[in-house]
Amino acid sequence: MSEMMMARDVYGDTLLELGRKNKDIVVLDADLSSSTRTAKFAKEFPDRFFNVGVAEQNLMGIAAGLASCKKIVFASTFAMFGIGRAWGQIRNTIAYNELNVKIVLTHAGVTVGPDGASHQALEDVALVNVIPNMVIMTPCDGPETREIILAAVRHDGPVYVRLGRSKVPTIDDKGKFQMGKAYILREGKDISIIACGIMVKQALDAAKILAAENKSARVVNMHTIKPIDKEMVIDCARKTNRIVICEEHMITGGLAAAVSEVLAEENPVRIERIGVKNRFGQSGSPAELMKEYHFTAEDIVKACRRLLAKTT
Amino acid sequence: MQIRELEKKARKIRRLIIQMLAKAGSGHPGGSLSSTDLVTCLYFAKLRHNPKNPEWPDRDRFHMSKGHCCPLWYAVLAESGYFKIDELWNLRKLGSILQGHPDWRTPGVTVASGSLGQGLSVAIGMALAGKLDKKDYRVYCLIGDGEIQEGQIWEAAMAASHYSCDNLCAILDYNCYQIDGKISEIMELEPLVDKWKAFGWHTIKIDGHNIRQILQAFDRAEKIKNKPSIIIARTTKGKGVSFMENVVDFHGRAPTPEEAKKALEELS
């Protein structure tokens, strides 16, 4: 059994690591610092941490002002509130000015669990995807969270990093992380499964189940949703001719949309989408919600079987 | 610059505003003219800045949160030497460095604005960065009266005093009108001084067209320690052009060529 980690724990530790090395790192939170784990940074660097209270619009505005004075700013809260309540601030003030703000939001997706629909962001990627200058990344596990945070700092410009709430298993033998470059976790020739975030693990499990049925599935970790790795999408289309796209998000506007747009223009192939279909989340345990919203490896397997059964 | 010179400069700025808006055929004269004396005094008698080096790290910051009044900002920047006066005639044109609302394309503008309510937060960020870097620059932020109906302004108002941003000075252009009509009829703001005081700000109430009062207010604000200051400047919308004063229509309508001619005669 591989190690279980919370991406947000890794985020908190990585902020500390960065803060010790670079005094221009400044961190902001909106009264959720214990949950987002920015509290660790706050404890060691109280002068470079600002808790703005329950005020997400102000959070993004202050972050922008600090970044305009050459600070590398991290702004954190829950994904639902950071994107949902401050979209105009992200769009007009952070992204339009290309300010160096790293918007790292936690508690995305239904696996937030018992808090229910009001706290389960399923639209955030869609909302950021349409904003120019933004980069969107989401890690598949703990170690990749660190890679993504470091890559976000290396990139001079605004970035949205989407993190979940729950513990996720660490995936072995990952590819080398490079922003904007997806990697193949498992090679296969019959079908491709392109996944991001916690769905990468489910995709790998699905590929194993399919292997037992003599079907070989390629599994791709599309950790950078914007800009999407077009080459990888086209390669999957050409080599396997069928693609299942998996994300813990609405099936509209997110990873599936980005992949579909590339396919429609460059190399149309049959797809299936694993995601939330036009409904809100609800309370429950993460495992129950994974089943309820059809996010399990078995759901991916079914989608693959449906696609593979189609002859045209 | 002395008071008489500043008055002369403000008149020139008002002329430029009228000329550039008439040429552009759209834009916002009312609020540009009401805040002209405030911003002119700031740039020509107070602000520490270097037009030859717009991004000088030690400069005082000015952020125009009520971005629709950018004709005023552009005129002041051009007069200060940030770019050639001739650029003003490209306002709102395709490819221009002078966009319809303040923009990073313009030398002297650091952060774009235009969506109301966001700028005071940005100014707080600049003020906090100054404190972190132990720099002595000051941050000035022009906000509109209609603008402070935005909730984010009050989030920012709370934060600025919480963080003791004494290097921050907000300037409220209180001209009593917004696009749809009189502030008091659309959404009352009074008691305004009490509101800002309650949020922990030092308040300075002035006549926003009295150069002496404006200069004194900037100096007084600079001396206040441990809290942010706000200059609540009572102004007249469309100030300086008789047929634009307190006329709601001129909030967001450019003068016709005939109206511009008449306005320029009044401002000569």
Side-chain angles (χ1 to χ4, degrees):
Chain A
M1 176 91 182
S2 50
E3 193 184 358
M4 299 287 286
M5 288 163 100
M6 284 186 190
R8 52 198 173 116
D9 278 334
V10 178
Y11 170 49
D13 292 338
T14 310
L15 275 182
L16 268 189
E17 178 190 336
L18 285 165
R20 287 171 187 153
K21 275 191 268 186
N22 187 342
K23 67 174 177 48
D24 285 332
I25 301 277
V26 178
V27 179
L28 279 67
D29 206 299
D31 198 38
L32 288 167
S33 64
S34 58
S35 297
T36 64
R37 304 296 196 252
T38 60
K40 286 185 182 177
F41 184 95
K43 203 172 167 212
E44 187 161 329
F45 304 107
D47 295 345
R48 286 191 268 145
F49 176 79
F50 300 97
N51 191 335
V52 303
V54 191
E56 294 78 14
Q57 301 182 352
N58 198 34
L59 171 83
M60 297 303 174
I62 294 179
L66 281 157
S68 80
C69 299
K70 311 298 173 212
K71 298 295 174 196
I72 302 163
V73 188
F74 281 85
S76 287
T77 177
F78 288 179
M80 188 57 240
F81 313 134
I83 304 298
R85 293 191 71 102
W87 187 85
Q89 285 71 15
I90 294 171
R91 190 258 188 202
N92 267 20
T93 303
I94 293 175
Y96 184 57
N97 291 290
E98 265 189 276
L99 290 168
N100 204 12
V101 179
K102 316 307 171 190
I103 302 165
V104 182
L105 307 178
T106 66
H107 293 63
V110 290
T111 51
V112 165
D115 274 351
S118 65
H119 283 52
Q120 295 164 344
L122 294 168
E123 309 84 354
D124 51 311
V125 174
L127 288 165
V128 181
N129 225 343
V130 287
I131 305 177
N133 294 343
M134 293 299 302
V135 169
I136 307 174
M137 291 187 279
T138 189
C140 66
D141 65 5
E144 192 162 89
T145 305
R146 180 174 175 275
E147 295 291 334
I148 281 181
I149 298 298
L150 297 181
V153 171
R154 283 194 298 273
H155 174 73
D156 182 18
V159 175
Y160 170 38
V161 179
R162 180 184 211 241
L163 304 180
R165 168 181 176 266
S166 307
K167 278 188 174 169
V168 289
T170 296
I171 293 168
D172 299 324
D173 305 320
K174 288 191 289 293
K176 186 173 163 13
F177 182 85
Q178 196 188 337
M179 190 175 101
K181 281 271 165 220
Y183 57 81
I184 297 167
L185 271 164
R186 182 187 171 107
E187 200 42 284
K189 58 181 176 33
D190 299 324
I191 194 164
S192 294
I193 308 172
I194 299 178
C196 68
I198 64 163
M199 293 308 293
V200 173
K201 172 71 170 66
Q202 302 303 318
L204 278 171
D205 290 349
K208 280 176 205 155
I209 298 169
L210 288 165
E213 300 170 9
N214 284 325
K215 285 163 194 146
S216 96
R218 172 191 268 195
V219 177
V220 170
N221 179 9
M222 191 66 77
H223 46 70
T224 308
I225 301 170
K226 183 186 172 78
I228 194 89
D229 184 349
K230 281 190 179 183
E231 277 176 34
M232 178 62 86
V233 173
I234 295 167
D235 189 69
C236 290
R238 289 195 178 141
K239 300 251 169 78
T240 69
N241 209 32
R242 294 170 176 86
I243 299 176
V244 174
I245 308 148
C246 315
E247 60 190 320
E248 194 194 7
H249 186 272
M250 288 291 170
I251 54 163
T252 45
L255 176 67
V259 169
S260 305
E261 284 161 18
V262 175
L263 293 174
E265 284 186 347
E266 304 285 345
N267 195 338
V269 297
R270 282 196 178 277
I271 62 159
E272 284 254 357
R273 295 171 294 167
I274 299 287
V276 177
K277 295 175 177 65
N278 199 30
R279 62 192 278 222
F280 289 104
Q282 60 183 303
S283 292
S285 74
E288 287 167 339
L289 292 163
M290 290 284 280
K291 278 206 180 82
E292 172 66 25
Y293 289 85
H294 308 293
F295 280 134
T296 65
E298 194 49 49
D299 293 305
I300 300 174
V301 168
K302 282 181 197 158
C304 289
R305 284 185 195 132
R306 281 196 298 272
L307 267 189
L308 288 164
K310 285 174 181 160
T311 49
T312 53
Chain B
M1 225 179 243
Q2 296 303 304
I3 289 179
R4 282 197 53 191
E5 286 173 284
L6 286 166
E7 282 169 350
K8 220 174 123 187
K9 184 66 95 179
R11 202 153 52 240
K12 186 167 185 198
I13 298 292
R14 285 192 165 91
R15 289 175 58 85
L16 290 173
I17 291 169
I18 296 296
Q19 286 171 300
M20 102 178 78
L21 284 169
K23 189 120 182 158
S26 68
H28 301 79
S32 299
L33 293 170
S34 66
S35 19
T36 295
D37 298 306
L38 296 160
V39 178
T40 301
C41 287
L42 185 65
Y43 267 80
F44 296 98
K46 189 69 192 171
L47 208 67
R48 184 172 77 194
H49 65 129
N50 180 0
K52 300 287 163 249
N53 183 10
E55 297 298 310
W56 175 36
D58 292 337
R59 72 193 184 284
D60 285 340
R61 268 76 173 164
F62 172 71
H63 185 58
M64 184 179 274
S65 188
K66 52 174 318 200
H68 55 284
C69 300
C70 58
L72 160 64
W73 200 2
Y74 297 157
V76 167
L77 288 172
E79 272 291 301
S80 301
Y82 281 87
F83 47 83
K84 291 199 173 73
I85 294 281
D86 281 351
E87 282 291 346
L88 297 177
W89 318 135
N90 296 324
L91 172 69
R92 291 176 166 246
K93 301 259 188 311
L94 183 68
S96 172
I97 60 163
L98 304 183
Q99 295 286 297
H101 287 84
D103 195 274
W104 45 264
R105 288 173 179 82
T106 310
V109 175
T110 303
V111 178
S113 63
S115 176
L116 292 176
Q118 301 192 19
L120 192 55
S121 305
V122 173
I124 293 172
M126 294 172 172
L128 292 175
K131 296 224 175 225
L132 279 175
D133 292 338
K134 305 209 169 10
K135 288 185 183 290
D136 66 351
Y137 65 73
R138 291 183 61 70
V139 182
Y140 296 90
C141 182
L142 182 72
I143 53 180
D145 46 7
E147 180 180 19
I148 68 172
Q149 291 162 351
E150 291 276 12
Q152 188 184 350
I153 288 287
W154 301 99
E155 295 181 1
M158 231 184 290
S161 65
H162 180 80
Y163 296 130
S164 308
C165 292
D166 51 12
N167 53 351
L168 171 66
C169 176
I171 307 160
L172 177 65
D173 176 21
Y174 193 10
N175 61 34
C176 299
Y177 285 89
Q178 57 192 108
I179 299 189
D180 274 353
K182 274 190 180 160
I183 296 265
S184 58
E185 288 167 12
I186 306 290
M187 187 51 65
E188 181 60 272
L189 300 174
E190 290 294 346
L192 207 45
V193 170
D194 292 347
K195 283 194 175 90
W196 287 92
K197 274 207 171 104
F199 276 80
W201 288 59
H202 178 76
T203 58
I204 305 169
K205 211 175 162 186
I206 62 163
D207 169 356
H209 301 305
N210 182 313
I211 304 289
R212 187 184 303 277
Q213 284 186 29
I214 296 170
L215 296 177
Q216 282 172 351
F218 287 142
D219 287 343
R220 226 183 322 151
E222 195 166 3
K223 292 194 181 75
I224 301 299
K225 293 296 159 208
N226 300 319
K227 55 162 82 172
S229 294
I230 180 164
I231 298 169
I232 298 174
R234 184 66 180 82
T235 58
T236 301
K237 196 135 188 170
K239 176 73 177 179
V241 179
S242 61
F243 59 91
M244 288 186 172
E245 287 189 2
N246 297 324
V247 175
V248 141
D249 185 38
F250 280 107
H251 171 99
R253 173 170 86 73
T256 62
E258 297 73 41
E259 286 167 339
K261 192 164 169 258
K262 234 173 103 189
L264 290 172
E265 277 165 21
E266 289 190 22
L267 289 165
S268 63

